[in-house]
Amino acid sequence: MIRYILLCYILITCSALKTMVLKPGGLKGFYMVGISKYIRDHYDLSNWQYYGASAGAWNALYLSCKKEEMFMQQIQELGQFSYNDLYDLERTMKKRIVTNFEMNDFQLSRLHICVSVKPNWFPLLRKHIIKDFENLDDVVESCIASSHLPFVSNGDFFYNYRNKKCLDGGAFRLPYRKRDKIHPDFILCPDSWKNTKINDMNRIYNMDVQQLIYNGYNDAHRNRERLDECFSSPTRYRRPNLVIAPRIHNPHENQIDDS
């Protein structure tokens, strides 16, 4: 009887999970981080799961982290350095994560990373959804594999992950499979609110992490009514009069643009 009750509880809990899909975005992924932070700051995400590809994979990792402030600090400090290429940036983030976090600092049961895999003797890519993570290094490596752009990231066409030839998970339109039976409740992508200002700060040579995060957070604030429609629930919480997170500031302005 106890087993039956426990099984029913698990089924009800799993079926109640909502799904956030986080799409690719290149270095605009930092803009998406700003949106992700606003969502974390203002809504209850205890019943959400995440499916991410490429930049969306890193955002999904951030959303699944229990130590939000520490993770955000690691992201923001990336803007203090210059990088040779995307892989150099990713290796820096990996070092920070494996040094400062442990496996139990993440809700990995909610994390799903989409990776494009080239099977041996088969000409087409296959979509793999990674969710059975072995350790923290494996978690971060899945995000790197999901973000690998041929020749652009580090000069190689494929990225070796779990002894497989992998490419950017964004090669597929959706970061989940049909058999996953996913019906997205919210889709996050860098073009959600058509902010053209971020086009001038999303290259490896002119990347402005602080400004990208700031723009994402403030765009989310301006579109909070639309977010309410997706995330509002009896258990949601709002921080009254919160305009910008204390750890996120605009280096060039003192006030939020709430037009």
Side-chain angles (χ1 to χ4, degrees):
M1 182 65 180
I2 295 177
R3 290 183 179 179
Y4 175 77
I5 295 175
L6 181 61
L7 178 60
C8 289
Y9 173 79
I10 294 174
L11 290 174
I12 292 173
T13 302
C14 293
S15 62
L17 284 177
K18 294 185 177 181
T19 300
M20 186 186 305
V21 169
L22 302 105
K23 305 194 80 172
L27 291 177
K28 291 181 182 178
F30 290 111
Y31 170 80
M32 295 166 63
V33 167
I35 300 173
S36 295
K37 176 163 180 58
Y38 185 91
I39 292 172
R40 284 196 68 153
D41 283 352
H42 292 78
Y43 303 97
D44 180 8
L45 299 178
S46 59
N47 65 332
W48 285 77
Q49 60 180 345
Y50 314 108
Y51 281 77
S54 196
W58 294 97
N59 272 262
L61 182 62
Y62 160 68
L63 287 168
S64 69
C65 184
K66 301 174 186 177
K67 298 181 177 179
E68 187 274 336
E69 290 188 4
M70 183 184 295
F71 200 102
M72 179 56 65
Q73 179 182 350
Q74 302 305 317
I75 295 175
Q76 290 182 298
E77 290 178 358
L78 291 174
Q80 300 175 5
F81 311 98
S82 59
Y83 304 94
N84 296 321
D85 49 36
L86 291 176
Y87 186 54
D88 190 18
L89 171 62
E90 292 167 342
R91 284 190 305 168
T92 302
M93 188 61 187
K94 175 184 176 179
K95 182 178 180 180
R96 286 174 168 268
I97 292 175
V98 298
T99 301
N100 294 286
F101 299 92
E102 299 178 352
M103 279 280 282
N104 59 12
D105 291 328
F106 297 87
Q107 297 174 308
L108 297 179
S109 62
R110 301 182 186 179
L111 182 63
H112 307 78
I113 305 300
C114 177
V115 176
S116 301
V117 176
K118 169 64 172 63
N120 292 329
W121 313 110
F122 191 74
L124 302 178
L125 296 173
R126 288 185 175 176
K127 183 190 301 184
H128 283 207
I129 304 300
I130 311 299
K131 57 181 180 180
D132 53 333
F133 303 102
E134 300 172 359
N135 49 50
L136 190 54
D137 184 88
D138 184 59
V139 174
V140 184
E141 281 291 306
S142 73
C143 292
I144 295 177
S146 180
S147 308
H148 183 74
L149 298 173
F151 301 123
V152 175
S153 292
N154 64 354
D156 296 330
F157 192 86
F158 292 108
Y159 185 78
N160 186 40
Y161 170 64
R162 293 186 176 181
N163 296 318
K164 297 182 183 297
K165 297 178 180 178
C166 300
L167 291 176
D168 194 304
F172 294 94
R173 187 174 64 89
L174 298 172
Y176 55 86
R177 301 160 300 193
K178 289 184 178 180
R179 66 173 179 269
D180 295 326
K181 297 182 180 179
I182 295 301
H183 302 284
D185 296 280
F186 181 74
I187 298 177
L188 175 58
C189 64
D191 299 323
S192 296
W193 294 307
K194 311 299 181 183
N195 186 332
T196 58
K197 291 187 294 184
I198 63 175
N199 294 333
D200 298 326
M201 58 184 83
N202 70 325
R203 297 291 184 269
I204 199 69
Y205 57 85
N206 68 350
M207 178 180 64
D208 192 331
V209 173
Q210 289 283 350
Q211 276 292 307
L212 286 166
I213 296 175
Y214 179 87
N215 274 270
Y217 196 97
N218 282 274
D219 281 350
H221 175 75
R222 282 191 290 267
N223 292 274
R224 57 193 179 276
E225 290 82 7
R226 294 176 61 182
L227 293 176
D228 281 347
E229 296 175 2
C230 296
F231 293 96
S232 57
S233 69
T235 56
R236 76 167 184 170
Y237 64 94
R238 294 296 299 271
R239 298 181 183 180
N241 301 321
L242 177 64
V243 174
I244 199 72
R247 291 192 60 82
I248 298 180
H249 65 279
N250 184 347
H252 308 302
E253 300 176 11
N254 295 322
Q255 295 181 343
I256 188 172
D257 177 10
D258 193 21
S259 56

